[in-house]
Amino acid sequence: MHINATLINLYNVCKRECWLHANGIRFEHTSDLVSEGKLIHETSYPQRSERYEELEIDGIKLDYYDARNKVIHEIKKSDKVEEAHHWQLKYYMFVLERNGIEGVTGVLEYPTLRQTETVTLNDDDREVITKMEKEIEEIIHAETCPPVIHARLCKNCSYYDFCYVGE
Ligand code: SF4
């Protein structure tokens, strides 16, 4: 499987989830969170599609790209700012750069928090992402699934029943 932004995101949330997703074990369609996220996209910014473009390139898909100003807008339904969101956005910039589109910045938007955050990519980030890509390759091609992480976020994970059955 090609490394993509979803895997980068999952890698930063839970390596087990990263492995499960990459190996075709999916339960997202049963989760309300997916549709809730889509609803936030659709209702928070109804005029978005007129101002921004959708861009698909090299395994990533940007819903709201401001091509004129080279800014990626990423909307998150979460009610807290998470490190994984930063890396997902930095990864988008990294991939654009790899494809010759340089000088891109990002804006994380949290409608439920009424908060936005600007995200940029620096040399340290590029190094970290290169390492992440290598490590993700190793994780997803491993014979066995990484262990359950016993974290609070597990309760909201679509794999919860799968991971904790019998515990
Ligand atoms: S339930 Fe927890 S351990 Fe299992 S995949 Fe989700 S986050 Fe990872």
Side-chain angles (χ1 to χ4, degrees), residues 31-144:
S31 168
D32 287 344
L33 294 173
V34 173
S35 51
E36 190 189 321
K38 282 186 182 143
L39 191 66
I40 284 197
H41 271 241
E42 283 157 16
T43 56
S44 301
Y45 305 101
Q47 293 94 23
R48 284 258 145 169
S49 46
E50 292 163 22
R51 291 166 56 199
Y52 304 128
E53 295 168 26
E54 249 186 42
L55 176 65
E56 258 187 280
I57 183 168
D58 198 8
I60 61 167
K61 183 170 175 287
L62 310 179
D63 290 328
Y64 303 111
Y65 181 55
D66 175 353
R68 184 183 297 180
N69 298 305
K70 292 191 176 179
V71 181
I72 302 164
H73 292 261
E74 179 67 18
I75 305 169
K76 293 297 181 194
K77 66 175 175 53
S78 172
D79 58 6
K80 68 175 188 298
V81 178
E82 290 170 28
E83 192 58 16
H85 300 160
H86 288 91
W87 285 114
Q88 184 186 356
L89 198 42
K90 282 172 191 273
Y91 185 69
Y92 288 153
M93 290 179 236
F94 181 83
V95 171
L96 290 186
E97 211 172 79
R98 191 161 65 192
N99 286 275
I101 306 171
E102 297 191 356
V104 175
T105 56
V107 178
L108 276 172
E109 305 186 17
Y110 296 88
T112 48
L113 294 173
R114 297 181 182 276
Q115 194 176 322
T116 62
E117 205 173 304
T118 300
V119 178
T120 55
L121 184 74
N122 63 32
D123 282 344
D124 288 345
D125 298 329
R126 291 179 185 94
E127 211 173 293
V128 171
I129 290 172
T130 305
K131 279 190 194 147
M132 272 185 205
E133 284 193 318
K134 275 196 201 128
E135 212 177 310
I136 290 170
E137 284 285 356
E138 286 168 17
I139 289 168
I140 67 179
H141 292 113
E143 293 272 310
T144 52

